[in-house]
Amino acid sequence: MLLPQSLEELLPLSHPARTVNSIIDRINMGSILDHYSTLGASSYHPKMLMKVLIYGYLDNCFSSRKIEKSIKESVPFMWLAGMQRPDHNTINRFRSAKLNGVIREVFSQVVLLLHDEGLLDIKDIYTDGTKIEANANRYTFVWGNTIKTNKEKISSQLQQLWDYAKKIATEELEDQSEDFKNPSPEKVIQTVDKINKALEGKKADKKVRQKLNYAKRNWPEKLQEYAKKEEILQGRNSFSKTDEGSTFMRMKEDHMKNGQLKPGYNLQLSTSKQFVVNYSVHQNPGDTITLKPHLEAYKSMFRHHPDTVTADAGYGSEENYDYLEKNGVDAYVKFNTFHKELRDKKKRKKTFTLLENLHYNQEDDTYTCPIGQKMTQINQVHRKTSTGYVQQYTYYMARNCQGCPLAGSCKKGAGNKILKINRKLEEYRNKARAKLTSETGIQKRKQRATDVEPVFGHFKQNKGLKRYALRGLEKVEIETGLAVIAHNLEKASRK
């Protein structure tokens, strides 16, 4: 070819690479530039590396080596890179180090630009979660309950050795008392030395002496190991040794199709018109306690809470309802029995034992049972959840259920019928029920199923994001940020 074609001519005007180029050129990269030194050789420009990385995730190319190869062979990659050729180490260092702590800021700028274009609404959002497998060995696991059991065994055996020594060497240990609950490595060594000193010259059981030698040689090291693992767990029940940030979660499908636990992360997304407007990655398998930190991440990006949140039954807890109400969020959040109530509406009206069918007298704070007997308050209990939220439960008891013809179907077990009521939660559920069954609520429930859930299907089936490529919570958050930015820009290019 006498006059070879330029890359500009080879790339169609509607190509997604042009959308990536246009949007990234408009964002402020100051927070990323702060990671660079002004000394030494010149670096590849972070905007070019960002464009290449985002387009890689848009094109299902997640490996830094594959991106390096594409930059040399693929027209869109060459066009975005301006014919520069960063190697895989440069790409990987930029992704892991330079984007650490700043990827969310880039994401928020992209969302606001798309919002200004009228493509999405950041105030009316739909929230749901899914589990993504970690890049970790499925069989190198550590369990919090196992650590707890082993520590209790050491405490128990140390107590047994002490009690045996007090019997054999009464004079030496009679006035000494020890507490062996949750002993430290130093405590184990001191105790074993005391026992050995007390048993000097005594006719002690050979197995006991062997046990003491084993304890001094192994238990301190084991306790140090358990302490390190508990520090990694930070309240979780498990982690994988090859990715300590991951937690073992039961996922809907695994490689053997038998529902085994796998190390993974809980990904929470909020969407608008199938654009992602907020994301967060969590180490706990349940969705209930993820809503507050997820919305706090939203607030940190946009400086306000959303006007409306629609979510599934996994988020319908008293703590979440309370948080949403206090922050002025119009919530359409189901509770766990919502669909069952709708399905069995007629049947529930005829079930006289249900709380909703019992008459409550607010003046004397009593419920009336099906045969007209008063049920009075007997106790109030405050319970604290794993997140520190305090719930109040009130107990009511009937006066005399003996001989009642309805007792068999009205209560379980012997004694009088007892009601356990969380009044605040019942009030929140009544409000949620009224909202969800309204015309707006029905529309919101339908929209949620077609707004946020298809995004998860797109990530997993079309993009192959069933398993993270990077390890560690920080890197997983970076990878997620790149994936959701790529998703938004790909969708924007189609618009």
Coordinates of all heavy atoms in Angstrom, one line a residue, residues 324-387:
L324 N -33.0 3.9 56.8 CA -33.6 4.6 55.6 C -34.5 5.7 56.0 O -34.5 6.8 55.4 CB -34.3 3.5 54.8 CG -33.4 2.5 54.1 CD1 -34.2 1.3 53.6 CD2 -32.7 3.1 52.9
E325 N -35.3 5.5 57.1 CA -36.3 6.5 57.5 C -35.6 7.7 58.1 O -35.9 8.8 57.8 CB -37.2 5.9 58.6 CG -38.3 6.8 59.0 CD -39.3 6.1 60.0 OE1 -40.3 5.5 59.5 OE2 -39.1 6.3 61.2
K326 N -34.5 7.5 58.9 CA -33.8 8.6 59.5 C -33.1 9.4 58.5 O -32.8 10.6 58.7 CB -32.8 8.0 60.6 CG -33.5 7.5 61.8 CD -32.5 7.0 62.8 CE -33.1 6.6 64.1 NZ -32.2 6.0 65.1
N327 N -32.7 8.8 57.4 CA -32.0 9.6 56.3 C -32.9 10.1 55.2 O -32.4 10.5 54.2 CB -30.8 8.7 55.8 CG -29.7 8.5 56.7 OD1 -28.9 9.4 56.9 ND2 -29.6 7.4 57.4
G328 N -34.2 10.0 55.4 CA -35.1 10.5 54.5 C -35.2 9.8 53.2 O -35.5 10.5 52.1
V329 N -34.9 8.5 53.1 CA -35.0 7.8 51.9 C -36.3 7.1 51.8 O -36.8 6.4 52.7 CB -33.9 6.7 51.9 CG1 -33.9 5.9 50.6 CG2 -32.5 7.3 52.0
D330 N -37.0 7.3 50.6 CA -38.3 6.7 50.4 C -38.0 5.2 50.0 O -37.5 5.0 48.8 CB -39.0 7.4 49.2 CG -40.4 7.0 49.1 OD1 -41.0 6.3 50.0 OD2 -41.0 7.3 48.0
A331 N -38.2 4.3 50.9 CA -37.8 2.9 50.7 C -38.9 2.0 50.2 O -40.0 2.0 50.8 CB -37.2 2.4 52.0
Y332 N -38.7 1.2 49.2 CA -39.6 0.1 48.8 C -38.8 -1.2 49.0 O -38.3 -1.7 48.0 CB -40.0 0.3 47.3 CG -40.9 1.5 47.1 CD1 -40.3 2.8 47.0 CD2 -42.3 1.5 47.2 CE1 -41.1 3.9 46.8 CE2 -43.1 2.6 47.0 CZ -42.5 3.8 46.8 OH -43.3 4.9 46.7
V333 N -38.7 -1.6 50.2 CA -37.8 -2.7 50.6 C -38.7 -3.8 51.2 O -39.4 -3.6 52.2 CB -36.8 -2.3 51.6 CG1 -35.9 -3.5 52.0 CG2 -35.9 -1.2 51.0
K334 N -38.7 -5.0 50.6 CA -39.5 -6.1 51.1 C -39.0 -6.7 52.4 O -37.8 -6.5 52.7 CB -39.6 -7.2 50.0 CG -40.1 -6.8 48.7 CD -40.0 -8.0 47.7 CE -40.3 -7.6 46.3 NZ -40.0 -8.7 45.4
F335 N -39.8 -7.3 53.1 CA -39.4 -8.1 54.3 C -39.5 -9.6 54.0 O -40.1 -10.0 53.0 CB -40.1 -7.7 55.6 CG -41.6 -7.6 55.4 CD1 -42.4 -8.7 55.6 CD2 -42.2 -6.4 55.0 CE1 -43.8 -8.6 55.4 CE2 -43.6 -6.3 54.8 CZ -44.4 -7.4 55.0
N336 N -39.0 -10.5 54.8 CA -38.8 -11.9 54.4 C -40.1 -12.6 54.2 O -40.2 -13.6 53.5 CB -37.9 -12.6 55.4 CG -38.5 -12.5 56.8 OD1 -39.4 -11.8 57.1 ND2 -37.9 -13.3 57.8
T337 N -41.2 -12.2 54.8 CA -42.5 -12.9 54.7 C -43.5 -12.2 53.7 O -44.6 -12.5 53.7 CB -43.2 -13.1 56.0 OG1 -43.4 -11.8 56.7 CG2 -42.3 -14.0 57.0
F338 N -43.0 -11.2 53.0 CA -43.9 -10.4 52.2 C -44.6 -11.2 51.1 O -45.9 -11.1 51.0 CB -43.1 -9.2 51.5 CG -43.9 -8.4 50.6 CD1 -44.8 -7.5 51.0 CD2 -43.8 -8.6 49.2 CE1 -45.6 -6.7 50.2 CE2 -44.5 -7.8 48.3 CZ -45.5 -6.9 48.8
H339 N -43.9 -12.0 50.4 CA -44.6 -12.7 49.3 C -45.5 -13.8 49.9 O -46.5 -14.1 49.3 CB -43.5 -13.3 48.4 CG -42.9 -12.3 47.4 ND1 -43.6 -11.7 46.4 CD2 -41.6 -11.8 47.4 CE1 -42.8 -10.9 45.8 NE2 -41.6 -10.9 46.4
K340 N -45.1 -14.4 51.0 CA -45.9 -15.4 51.6 C -47.2 -14.8 52.1 O -48.3 -15.5 52.0 CB -45.2 -16.1 52.8 CG -45.9 -17.2 53.4 CD -45.1 -17.8 54.5 CE -45.8 -19.0 55.2 NZ -45.1 -19.6 56.3
E341 N -47.2 -13.6 52.6 CA -48.4 -12.9 53.1 C -49.3 -12.7 51.9 O -50.5 -12.9 52.0 CB -48.0 -11.6 53.7 CG -47.4 -11.8 55.1 CD -47.2 -10.4 55.8 OE1 -47.7 -9.4 55.2 OE2 -46.5 -10.4 56.8
L342 N -48.8 -12.2 50.7 CA -49.6 -12.0 49.6 C -50.2 -13.3 49.1 O -51.4 -13.3 48.7 CB -48.7 -11.3 48.5 CG -48.3 -9.9 48.6 CD1 -47.6 -9.4 47.4 CD2 -49.5 -9.0 48.9
R343 N -49.4 -14.3 49.1 CA -49.9 -15.6 48.5 C -51.0 -16.2 49.4 O -52.0 -16.8 48.9 CB -48.7 -16.6 48.4 CG -49.0 -17.9 47.7 CD -47.8 -18.7 47.5 NE -47.2 -19.1 48.8 CZ -46.0 -18.7 49.2 NH1 -45.3 -17.8 48.4 NH2 -45.5 -19.1 50.3
D344 N -50.8 -16.1 50.7 CA -51.8 -16.7 51.7 C -52.7 -15.7 52.3 O -53.1 -15.8 53.5 CB -51.0 -17.5 52.8 CG -50.1 -18.5 52.2 OD1 -50.3 -19.0 51.1 OD2 -49.1 -18.8 52.8
K345 N -53.0 -14.6 51.6 CA -53.8 -13.5 52.2 C -55.1 -14.0 52.8 O -55.5 -13.7 53.9 CB -54.0 -12.4 51.1 CG -54.5 -11.1 51.7 CD -54.6 -10.0 50.7 CE -55.0 -8.7 51.2 NZ -55.1 -7.6 50.2
K346 N -55.9 -14.7 52.0 CA -57.2 -15.2 52.5 C -57.1 -16.2 53.6 O -57.8 -16.1 54.6 CB -58.0 -15.8 51.3 CG -58.4 -14.9 50.2 CD -59.1 -15.6 49.1 CE -59.6 -14.6 48.0 NZ -60.3 -15.2 46.9
K347 N -56.1 -17.0 53.5 CA -55.9 -18.0 54.6 C -55.5 -17.4 55.9 O -55.9 -17.8 57.0 CB -54.8 -19.0 54.1 CG -54.5 -20.2 55.1 CD -53.5 -21.1 54.5 CE -53.1 -22.2 55.5 NZ -52.1 -23.1 55.0
R348 N -54.6 -16.3 55.8 CA -54.1 -15.7 57.0 C -55.3 -15.0 57.8 O -55.2 -14.9 59.0 CB -53.1 -14.6 56.6 CG -51.8 -15.3 56.1 CD -50.8 -14.2 55.7 NE -50.3 -13.5 56.9 CZ -49.3 -13.8 57.7 NH1 -48.6 -14.9 57.4 NH2 -48.9 -13.1 58.7
K349 N -56.3 -14.5 57.0 CA -57.4 -13.8 57.7 C -58.2 -14.7 58.6 O -58.8 -14.3 59.6 CB -58.3 -13.1 56.6 CG -57.7 -11.9 56.0 CD -58.7 -11.3 55.0 CE -58.1 -10.0 54.4 NZ -59.1 -9.4 53.5
K350 N -58.2 -16.0 58.2 CA -58.9 -17.0 58.9 C -58.1 -17.7 60.0 O -58.6 -18.5 60.8 CB -59.4 -18.1 58.0 CG -60.4 -17.6 56.9 CD -60.8 -18.7 56.0 CE -61.8 -18.1 54.9 NZ -62.1 -19.2 53.9
T351 N -56.8 -17.4 60.0 CA -55.9 -18.0 61.1 C -55.9 -17.1 62.3 O -55.2 -16.1 62.4 CB -54.4 -18.1 60.5 OG1 -54.5 -18.8 59.2 CG2 -53.6 -18.9 61.5
F352 N -56.7 -17.5 63.3 CA -56.9 -16.7 64.5 C -55.7 -16.5 65.4 O -55.6 -15.6 66.2 CB -58.1 -17.2 65.3 CG -57.8 -18.7 65.8 CD1 -57.1 -18.9 66.9 CD2 -58.4 -19.7 65.1 CE1 -56.9 -20.2 67.4 CE2 -58.2 -21.0 65.5 CZ -57.5 -21.3 66.7
T353 N -54.7 -17.4 65.2 CA -53.5 -17.3 66.1 C -52.5 -16.3 65.7 O -51.5 -16.0 66.4 CB -52.8 -18.7 66.2 OG1 -52.4 -19.1 64.8 CG2 -53.7 -19.8 66.8
L354 N -52.6 -15.7 64.5 CA -51.6 -14.8 64.0 C -51.7 -13.5 64.8 O -52.8 -13.0 65.1 CB -51.8 -14.5 62.5 CG -51.4 -15.7 61.6 CD1 -51.8 -15.3 60.1 CD2 -49.9 -16.0 61.7
L355 N -50.6 -12.8 65.0 CA -50.6 -11.5 65.7 C -51.5 -10.5 65.1 O -52.2 -9.7 65.8 CB -49.1 -11.0 65.8 CG -48.9 -9.7 66.5 CD1 -49.3 -9.8 68.0 CD2 -47.5 -9.2 66.4
E356 N -51.5 -10.4 63.8 CA -52.3 -9.4 63.1 C -53.8 -9.6 63.3 O -54.6 -8.7 63.1 CB -52.0 -9.5 61.6 CG -52.4 -10.8 60.9 CD -51.6 -11.0 59.6 OE1 -50.4 -11.2 59.6 OE2 -52.3 -11.0 58.6
N357 N -54.2 -10.8 63.7 CA -55.6 -11.1 64.0 C -56.0 -11.0 65.4 O -57.2 -11.2 65.8 CB -56.0 -12.4 63.4 CG -55.9 -12.5 61.9 OD1 -56.0 -11.5 61.2 ND2 -55.5 -13.7 61.4
L358 N -55.0 -10.7 66.3 CA -55.3 -10.5 67.7 C -55.6 -9.0 68.0 O -54.9 -8.1 67.6 CB -54.1 -11.0 68.6 CG -53.8 -12.5 68.5 CD1 -52.6 -12.8 69.3 CD2 -54.9 -13.4 68.9
H359 N -56.6 -8.8 68.8 CA -57.0 -7.4 69.2 C -56.0 -6.8 70.2 O -55.7 -7.5 71.2 CB -58.4 -7.3 69.7 CG -58.8 -6.0 70.2 ND1 -59.0 -4.9 69.4 CD2 -59.0 -5.5 71.5 CE1 -59.3 -3.8 70.1 NE2 -59.3 -4.1 71.4
Y360 N -55.5 -5.6 70.0 CA -54.6 -5.0 70.9 C -55.2 -3.8 71.5 O -55.8 -2.9 70.8 CB -53.3 -4.6 70.2 CG -52.3 -3.8 71.1 CD1 -51.7 -4.4 72.2 CD2 -52.0 -2.4 70.9 CE1 -50.8 -3.7 73.0 CE2 -51.2 -1.7 71.7 CZ -50.6 -2.4 72.8 OH -49.7 -1.7 73.6
N361 N -55.3 -3.7 72.9 CA -55.8 -2.6 73.6 C -54.7 -1.7 74.0 O -53.9 -2.1 74.9 CB -56.6 -3.1 74.8 CG -57.4 -2.0 75.5 OD1 -57.0 -0.8 75.5 ND2 -58.5 -2.3 76.1
Q362 N -54.5 -0.5 73.4 CA -53.4 0.4 73.7 C -53.5 1.0 75.1 O -52.4 1.2 75.7 CB -53.3 1.5 72.6 CG -52.0 2.2 72.6 CD -51.9 3.1 71.4 OE1 -52.8 3.2 70.6 NE2 -50.8 3.8 71.3
E363 N -54.7 1.2 75.6 CA -54.8 1.8 76.9 C -54.2 1.0 78.1 O -53.5 1.5 78.9 CB -56.3 2.1 77.2 CG -56.9 3.2 76.3 CD -58.3 3.5 76.7 OE1 -58.8 2.8 77.6 OE2 -59.0 4.3 76.0
D364 N -54.5 -0.3 78.1 CA -54.0 -1.1 79.2 C -52.9 -2.1 78.7 O -52.4 -3.0 79.4 CB -55.1 -1.9 79.9 CG -55.8 -2.8 78.9 OD1 -55.5 -2.8 77.7 OD2 -56.8 -3.5 79.3
D365 N -52.4 -1.9 77.4 CA -51.3 -2.6 76.9 C -51.5 -4.1 77.0 O -50.7 -4.9 77.6 CB -50.0 -2.2 77.6 CG -48.7 -2.8 76.8 OD1 -48.9 -3.1 75.6 OD2 -47.7 -3.0 77.5
T366 N -52.6 -4.6 76.4 CA -52.9 -6.0 76.5 C -53.4 -6.5 75.1 O -53.9 -5.7 74.3 CB -54.0 -6.3 77.5 OG1 -55.2 -5.6 77.1 CG2 -53.6 -6.0 78.9
Y367 N -53.2 -7.8 74.8 CA -53.7 -8.4 73.6 C -54.9 -9.3 74.1 O -54.8 -9.8 75.3 CB -52.7 -9.3 72.9 CG -51.7 -8.5 72.1 CD1 -50.6 -7.9 72.6 CD2 -52.0 -8.2 70.7 CE1 -49.7 -7.2 71.8 CE2 -51.1 -7.5 69.9 CZ -50.0 -7.0 70.5 OH -49.1 -6.2 69.7
T368 N -55.8 -9.6 73.3 CA -56.9 -10.5 73.6 C -56.8 -11.7 72.7 O -56.8 -11.7 71.5 CB -58.3 -9.8 73.3 OG1 -58.3 -8.6 74.0 CG2 -59.4 -10.7 73.8
C369 N -56.8 -12.9 73.4 CA -56.6 -14.2 72.7 C -57.9 -14.6 72.0 O -59.0 -14.0 72.3 CB -56.1 -15.2 73.7 SG -57.4 -16.0 74.7
P370 N -57.9 -15.6 71.2 CA -59.1 -16.0 70.4 C -60.4 -16.3 71.3 O -61.5 -16.1 70.8 CB -58.7 -17.2 69.7 CG -57.2 -17.1 69.5 CD -56.8 -16.4 70.7
I371 N -60.2 -16.7 72.6 CA -61.4 -17.0 73.4 C -61.7 -15.8 74.3 O -62.5 -15.9 75.2 CB -61.2 -18.3 74.2 CG1 -60.0 -18.1 75.2 CG2 -61.0 -19.5 73.3 CD1 -60.0 -19.2 76.2
G372 N -61.1 -14.6 74.1 CA -61.4 -13.4 74.9 C -60.6 -13.2 76.1 O -60.8 -12.3 76.9
Q373 N -59.5 -14.0 76.3 CA -58.7 -13.9 77.5 C -57.6 -12.8 77.3 O -57.0 -12.7 76.2 CB -58.0 -15.2 77.8 CG -57.2 -15.2 79.1 CD -56.6 -16.6 79.4 OE1 -55.8 -16.7 80.3 NE2 -56.9 -17.6 78.6
K374 N -57.4 -12.0 78.3 CA -56.4 -10.9 78.2 C -55.0 -11.5 78.3 O -54.7 -12.4 79.2 CB -56.6 -9.9 79.4 CG -57.9 -9.2 79.3 CD -57.9 -8.1 78.2 CE -59.1 -7.3 78.3 NZ -59.2 -6.2 77.2
M375 N -54.1 -11.0 77.5 CA -52.6 -11.3 77.5 C -51.9 -10.1 77.9 O -51.8 -9.1 77.2 CB -52.2 -11.9 76.2 CG -53.0 -13.0 75.6 SD -52.4 -13.6 74.0 CE -50.9 -14.3 74.5
T376 N -51.2 -10.2 79.1 CA -50.6 -9.0 79.7 C -49.1 -9.1 79.5 O -48.5 -10.2 79.3 CB -50.9 -8.9 81.2 OG1 -50.5 -10.1 81.8 CG2 -52.3 -8.6 81.4
Q377 N -48.4 -7.9 79.5 CA -47.0 -7.8 79.4 C -46.3 -8.4 80.6 O -46.6 -8.1 81.7 CB -46.5 -6.4 79.2 CG -45.0 -6.3 78.9 CD -44.6 -4.8 78.7 OE1 -43.5 -4.5 79.2 NE2 -45.4 -4.0 78.2
I378 N -45.3 -9.3 80.3 CA -44.5 -9.9 81.4 C -43.0 -9.6 81.4 O -42.4 -9.7 82.4 CB -44.7 -11.5 81.4 CG1 -44.2 -12.0 80.0 CG2 -46.1 -11.9 81.7 CD1 -44.1 -13.6 80.0
N379 N -42.5 -9.1 80.3 CA -41.1 -8.8 80.2 C -40.7 -8.0 79.0 O -41.5 -8.1 78.0 CB -40.3 -10.2 80.2 CG -38.8 -10.0 80.5 OD1 -38.4 -8.9 81.0 ND2 -38.0 -11.0 80.2
Q380 N -39.6 -7.3 79.1 CA -39.0 -6.6 77.9 C -37.6 -6.9 77.9 O -36.9 -6.9 78.9 CB -39.2 -5.1 78.0 CG -40.5 -4.6 77.6 CD -40.6 -3.1 77.4 OE1 -39.7 -2.4 77.9 NE2 -41.6 -2.5 76.8
V381 N -37.1 -7.3 76.7 CA -35.7 -7.7 76.5 C -35.1 -6.9 75.4 O -35.7 -6.7 74.3 CB -35.6 -9.2 76.2 CG1 -34.2 -9.6 75.9 CG2 -36.2 -10.1 77.3
H382 N -33.8 -6.4 75.6 CA -33.1 -5.7 74.6 C -32.0 -6.6 74.1 O -31.2 -7.2 74.9 CB -32.5 -4.4 75.2 CG -33.5 -3.4 75.6 ND1 -34.2 -3.4 76.8 CD2 -34.0 -2.3 74.8 CE1 -35.0 -2.4 76.8 NE2 -35.0 -1.7 75.7
R383 N -31.9 -6.7 72.8 CA -30.9 -7.6 72.2 C -30.1 -6.8 71.2 O -30.6 -5.9 70.5 CB -31.5 -8.8 71.5 CG -32.2 -9.7 72.5 CD -32.7 -10.9 71.8 NE -33.4 -11.9 72.7 CZ -34.1 -12.9 72.4 NH1 -34.2 -13.2 71.1 NH2 -34.6 -13.7 73.3
K384 N -28.8 -7.0 71.1 CA -27.9 -6.3 70.2 C -27.5 -7.2 69.1 O -27.1 -8.4 69.3 CB -26.6 -5.9 71.0 CG -25.7 -4.9 70.2 CD -24.5 -4.4 71.1 CE -25.0 -3.5 72.2 NZ -23.8 -2.9 72.8
T385 N -27.6 -6.7 67.9 CA -27.2 -7.5 66.7 C -25.7 -7.5 66.5 O -25.0 -6.8 67.2 CB -27.9 -6.9 65.4 OG1 -27.4 -5.5 65.2 CG2 -29.4 -6.7 65.6
S386 N -25.2 -8.2 65.5 CA -23.8 -8.3 65.2 C -23.2 -6.9 64.8 O -22.0 -6.7 65.0 CB -23.5 -9.3 64.1 OG -24.2 -8.9 62.9
T387 N -24.1 -6.0 64.4 CA -23.6 -4.7 64.0 C -23.7 -3.7 65.1 O -23.4 -2.5 64.9 CB -24.4 -4.2 62.7 OG1 -25.8 -4.1 63.1 CG2 -24.1 -5.1 61.6

